[in-house]
Amino acid sequence: VAVILNFTPVPRRGYRIGLPQAGEYQELFNSDSRHYGGSDLGNGGTLTAAVEPWMGRPASLELTLPPLGGVVLGLRR
């Protein structure tokens, strides 16, 4: 599980994060979801992490972070 938080009032599109392994990650939680009264800015499902080292981790992916919110990603098995 990866928890990514954005404490700024600016949406971050194309934000790259390092992850422990490559593969498909599912967006498990998005605090900006319409279900919580948000604008629904997020990733809409599955993201793919590639073997591209970043932030001291062996894999990475780019995602959209909602403003003043966070997302939780889980590796799909």
Side-chain angles (χ1 to χ4, degrees):
V1 174
V3 177
I4 307 97
L5 304 172
N6 180 6
F7 292 116
T8 72
V10 180
R12 303 295 179 183
R13 291 178 172 85
Y15 189 81
R16 182 168 294 280
I17 61 164
L19 293 165
Q21 71 182 77
E24 289 189 340
Y25 285 79
Q26 181 73 33
E27 186 176 78
L28 304 175
F29 174 77
N30 178 348
S31 67
D32 197 46
S33 169
R34 70 180 182 278
H35 300 291
Y36 310 117
S39 65
D40 231 13
L41 180 66
N43 302 282
T46 304
L47 299 161
T48 303
V51 178
E52 184 175 336
W54 194 261
M55 303 170 101
R57 302 289 179 185
S60 64
L61 59 75
E62 287 187 358
L63 72 157
T64 298
L65 290 174
L68 300 172
V71 297
V72 176
L73 303 178
L75 183 62
R76 292 182 63 161
R77 300 268 177 203

